[in-house]
Amino acid sequence: MKKSNLYTKTGDDGTTSLVSGTRVHKSDLRIDIYGDLDELNSLVGYALSAEKNEFSAIRVLLTEVQRFLFVMGSNMACEREKRVEYKLPVLEKSSIKLIENGIDELDFEIPTLKSFILPSGSEFSCRLHLCRTFSRNLERKVAEFHKNYEEVPSNYLIFLNRLSDYLFVAARFVNAKKQVQEVQWP
């Protein structure tokens, strides 16, 4: 059986297809967002590659986050009115609760912040900070899309907001457990 080619050449003109088959330009904000969701997913995987089986609760939650990011990407790749027709998975409110529980568990074990800190520390912590800042950037793009183009599922903005909070707390938790001193600013 001959393997099919990965390349289709249909995007050579600068357009791509949504789930529905509608062609849009690759510079469309929707494409930018689901590309960024894919990039955040890759950054989470990159962060996890530095986790050496020391933080299993973080690993489990972030692996679930990667699944949630795929759900969000599939929905962003389809017009709002067609998502039900194509039976795309949805991001449930339980995903937000899972993240909030993760924040509460980790935050309980780290010192309360009294000043800003520089994103630094162990390799795993620094990678989590990269994910956090990318998540915040993505949250701003999704908010712009929601405000100016098309309503996004209500859970998306909340999820990205909580995710960046979780990544911040997780980075601090990792440094605390590895006894890496946080660098305060100023």
Side-chain angles (χ1 to χ4, degrees):
M1 178 178 205
K2 185 179 186 288
K3 187 175 177 180
S4 65
N5 292 335
L6 178 63
Y7 53 89
T8 63
K9 301 182 183 180
T10 58
D12 291 352
D13 65 352
T15 64
T16 190
S17 289
L18 299 179
V19 172
S20 66
T22 301
R23 302 290 298 174
V24 297
H25 201 271
K26 290 181 180 181
S27 65
D28 188 285
L29 182 57
R30 173 191 307 279
I31 307 307
D32 192 29
I33 289 171
Y34 76 71
D36 281 358
L37 284 161
D38 187 33
E39 191 171 348
L40 178 56
N41 207 335
S42 296
L43 282 170
V44 170
Y46 178 66
L48 288 173
S49 72
E51 195 280 306
K52 307 297 181 205
N53 297 317
E54 299 173 90
F55 303 100
S56 60
I58 293 173
R59 173 175 290 285
V60 167
L61 194 142
L62 288 180
T63 301
E64 195 62 25
V65 161
Q66 288 186 292
R67 290 182 178 92
F68 298 151
L69 292 171
F70 261 109
V71 168
M72 293 171 71
S74 70
N75 279 265
M76 287 305 302
C78 190
E79 301 95 325
R80 183 175 60 89
E81 63 276 1
K82 302 223 180 211
R83 291 178 189 143
V84 173
E85 176 184 339
Y86 288 100
K87 299 179 181 162
L88 295 178
V90 294
L91 187 68
E92 302 288 343
K93 286 184 180 180
S94 59
S95 63
I96 296 166
K97 189 64 179 161
L98 182 70
I99 301 246
E100 289 174 343
N101 290 342
I103 292 168
D104 293 343
E105 288 172 18
L106 299 181
D107 195 42
F108 182 74
E109 295 194 42
I110 56 178
T112 302
L113 275 178
K114 294 182 170 90
S115 69
F116 289 103
I117 59 166
L118 300 180
S120 59
S122 70
E123 182 178 4
F124 186 35
S125 177
C126 288
R127 290 183 186 193
L128 291 169
H129 277 299
L130 277 174
C131 293
R132 171 187 59 82
T133 58
F134 197 88
S135 180
R136 283 284 186 219
N137 185 50
L138 179 57
E139 180 185 5
R140 290 188 298 270
K141 283 184 184 177
V142 172
E144 177 188 354
F145 187 84
H146 180 76
K147 178 182 175 190
N148 297 319
Y149 297 95
E150 178 182 300
E151 183 179 334
V152 297
S154 60
N155 295 338
Y156 283 24
L157 289 169
I158 299 168
F159 177 83
L160 290 169
N161 191 15
R162 294 301 182 285
L163 176 58
S164 56
D165 290 341
Y166 175 79
L167 292 163
F168 179 74
V169 169
R172 292 192 66 227
F173 178 84
V174 167
N175 279 340
K177 292 301 176 186
K178 289 185 165 282
Q179 299 179 344
V180 175
Q181 187 70 34
E182 292 179 321
V183 180
Q184 295 184 355
W185 180 87

